[in-house]
Amino acid sequence: TTGYTTLDPGFVNTASTKSAITYIDGEAGILRYRGYPIEQLAEHSTFIEVSYLLIYGELPTAEQLEAFTDKIRRHTLLHEDLKRFFDGFPRNAHPMPVLSSAINALSAYYQDSLNPDDPEQVELSTIRLLAKLPTIAAYAYKKSVGQPFLYPDNSLNLVENFLRMTFGFPAEPYEVDPEISKALDMLLILHADHEQNCSTSTVRLVGSSDANLFTSISGGINALWGPLHGGANQAVLEMLEGIRERGDTVEDFVKKVKNKEDGVKLMGFGHRVYRNYDPRAAIVKKAADTILAKLGGDDELLEIAKALEEAALTDEYFIARKLYPNVDFYTGLIYRAMGFPTRMFTVLFAMGRLPGWIAHWREMHNDAALKIGRPRQIYTGYTERDYKELTTR
Ligand code: SDX
């Protein structure tokens, strides 16, 4: 009854089948940005340097890094009318729709950088996004807590500026905690790119119609919000808190997951590509103990998380399905210890993923053979049939 016998070559979405940006070996648990192992970048690099690497393909020289940092620094402010944009949202809005709407609104405020075929405009929109997303993210948080917005302070670096705009007050000076800034910088590096994941494929598909960079990134933010994707870091914390509040034992909870009771999943576990430990999760777990000890994290929830991991890694159900912790399993505990509310966790994921999204959008546009993404389908509906008059139905 289907209309298909073989898959049409157009079935494969041509907007995202080749890329030189990120390499993943799911079986071996390998992740490399432009050839550099994630473990080395997490240890030695900075988020702004990794952003440069992903977007331009090489680690920057000192001059290139300074010029890149300076360009970004000069675009951290939002248009004053865009600041008022936040007044239209209810106080209890989740920050992700605020973020994706405000990022899309950049297409309205910065109409001089929308043309994907003009390299200068692509560069300008790239810099504007890298500079303004942290400001918008901080304002989305301030709106949710009813506190005044702070203007960026460009004597600080990108991450410090974000922390100050998020947690600072106009009434008093705000000292950025170097431990928090360093830990957040490393987490942003870990999230910076991940090949053709759901949100990156969305950015590429939207961009393949020649839609501008701002609106393509907004599409990626929407895809990321889903709890099966970037929204998982929020779902992990809600899962851990639920276990604690109900007084579940880890064994009880794992049993519920295995019986698929009410569709419950072990959030932060499993991955379409990794059939081994997600290398990012290993780095976060290793850092979690030290960072939480320094910042005073919620040890109880960390212990529940570790007990869940231990139970799952020795249980046939998870072993047979090659389910391991992914990047979202431990990150929320650190974000919480930094002072972020759970609903901001996926916003932090988006901030980290931004340079990857931009790199993929630019790579796709630099591909002369680019064609609009047009996935095909396997038709499973009715074969042809004749119209029935209303009186005969
Ligand atoms: C991210 O793609 C990327 O690269 C994403 C990402 C990135 O950096 O961009 O890495 C970020 O999105 C990480 C994933 C975050 N999501 C979660 O942690 C949510 C929980 N995980 C699952 O929903 C799931 O593992 C997915 C969505 C991540 C992957 O789903 P798949 O590959 O479609 O696997 P599946 O649903 O087909 O599962 C296969 C089996 C099923 O059991 P059976 O039907 O065979 O009995 O494994 C089970 C699933 O029920 N399973 C789980 C599970 N994940 C899969 N069972 C319990 N808990 C889980 N977490």
Side-chain angles (χ1 to χ4, degrees):
T1 55
T2 63
Y4 263 81
T5 47
T6 54
L7 284 188
D8 180 302
F11 185 84
V12 177
N13 163 19
T14 50
S16 57
T17 47
K18 298 190 301 296
S19 176
I21 299 169
T22 289
Y23 172 75
I24 298 176
D25 178 331
E27 291 302 329
I30 290 172
L31 169 60
R32 298 185 196 127
Y33 296 162
R34 300 285 188 182
Y36 295 99
I38 190 67
E39 295 79 5
Q40 293 181 25
L41 292 171
E43 192 179 340
H44 303 295
S45 189
T46 62
F47 176 58
I48 196 156
E49 182 178 79
V50 165
S51 301
Y52 186 99
L53 170 67
L54 287 168
I55 293 169
Y56 302 106
E58 297 296 339
L59 285 171
T61 62
E63 295 73 27
Q64 287 167 331
L65 185 58
E66 181 45 40
F68 184 59
T69 305
D70 188 51
K71 271 198 287 185
I72 289 173
R73 194 178 283 135
R74 276 188 283 117
H75 286 275
T76 50
L77 267 179
L78 295 190
H79 189 294
E80 280 299 301
D81 293 351
L82 182 51
K83 266 181 67 188
R84 276 189 280 281
F85 183 87
F86 293 81
D87 296 344
F89 286 97
R91 168 81 59 82
N92 64 353
H94 192 291
M96 281 299 274
V98 176
L99 181 70
S100 80
S101 313
I103 290 291
N104 204 25
L106 295 177
S107 317
Y109 285 89
Y110 299 104
Q111 300 185 36
D112 60 344
S113 55
L114 301 182
N115 180 356
D117 299 321
D118 176 336
E120 271 178 34
Q121 294 194 31
V122 169
E123 195 53 31
L124 188 48
S125 54
T126 294
I127 295 299
R128 278 172 165 157
L129 274 165
L130 292 167
K132 297 180 195 302
L133 189 143
T135 307
I136 291 170
Y139 289 1
Y141 170 69
K142 282 302 192 193
K143 167 74 190 180
S144 72
V145 291
Q147 290 170 4
F149 295 170
L150 286 183
Y151 285 107
D153 168 356
N154 289 341
S155 67
L156 301 172
N157 73 32
L158 197 73
V159 173
E160 293 164 342
N161 221 344
F162 166 67
L163 287 168
R164 181 184 157 277
M165 287 188 282
T166 303
F167 296 121
F169 289 92
E172 54 199 42
Y174 176 80
E175 274 304 303
V176 177
D177 178 334
E179 289 301 334
I180 294 183
S181 163
K182 190 163 146 270
L184 182 55
D185 196 284
M186 187 267 287
L187 290 175
L188 294 173
I189 289 174
L190 296 181
H191 286 82
D193 193 51
H194 213 238
E195 203 218 61
Q196 304 302 322
N197 57 84
C198 176
S199 53
T200 300
S201 299
T202 303
V203 169
R204 288 180 77 121
L205 197 53
V206 172
S208 72
S209 72
D210 258 358
N212 71 68
L213 181 56
F214 299 127
T215 203
S216 302
I217 298 298
S218 177
I221 296 170
N222 295 329
L224 186 72
W225 190 15
L228 295 185
H229 189 14
N233 56 17
Q234 172 176 338
V236 169
L237 250 291
E238 288 160 353
M239 171 184 76
L240 295 174
E241 283 171 335
I243 291 170
R244 177 165 62 182
E245 273 142 37
R246 291 189 303 270
D248 284 355
T249 63
V250 163
E251 291 67 30
D252 292 345
F253 186 75
V254 169
K255 213 178 282 161
K256 274 186 202 164
V257 170
K258 288 162 69 174
N259 299 334
K260 300 186 180 168
E261 272 175 44
D262 324 320
V264 73
K265 287 181 180 282
L266 185 49
M267 299 311 277
F269 254 71
H271 200 277
R272 175 62 55 79
V273 176
Y274 288 124
R275 294 312 190 200
N276 198 326
Y277 215 100
D278 180 335
R280 302 166 297 176
I283 296 168
V284 177
K285 184 184 174 190
K286 212 164 88 192
D289 286 322
T290 15
I291 295 170
L292 296 180
K294 279 188 190 136
L295 302 181
D298 188 328
D299 293 336
E300 258 186 357
L301 292 186
L302 178 60
E303 287 321 306
I304 294 174
K306 285 184 174 176
L308 273 173
E309 178 188 353
E310 207 179 304
L313 295 187
T314 51
D315 186 300
E316 198 37 44
Y317 175 93
F318 297 90
I319 296 168
R321 292 165 175 81
K322 298 191 174 183
L323 301 178
Y324 292 88
N326 59 50
V327 68
D328 293 314
F329 192 63
Y330 285 104
T331 40
L333 289 163
I334 298 177
Y335 293 146
R336 168 68 64 79
M338 290 174 175
F340 291 101
T342 314
R343 297 174 104 193
M344 277 294 285
F345 293 177
T346 312
V347 170
L348 296 171
F349 193 141
M351 191 183 307
R353 186 52 52 89
L354 179 63
W357 286 332
I358 293 173
H360 280 273
W361 187 93
R362 290 171 62 124
E363 177 183 66
M364 182 193 59
H365 269 287
N366 292 338
D367 175 358
L370 168 74
K371 292 170 80 67
I372 187 169
R374 181 38 176 104
R376 291 307 304 276
Q377 63 176 21
I378 295 172
Y379 177 68
T380 58
Y382 287 100
T383 47
E384 186 177 359
R385 53 181 174 158
D386 295 328
Y387 180 77
K388 285 197 199 86
E389 288 306 329
L390 186 59
T391 49
T392 65
R393 286 176 221 159

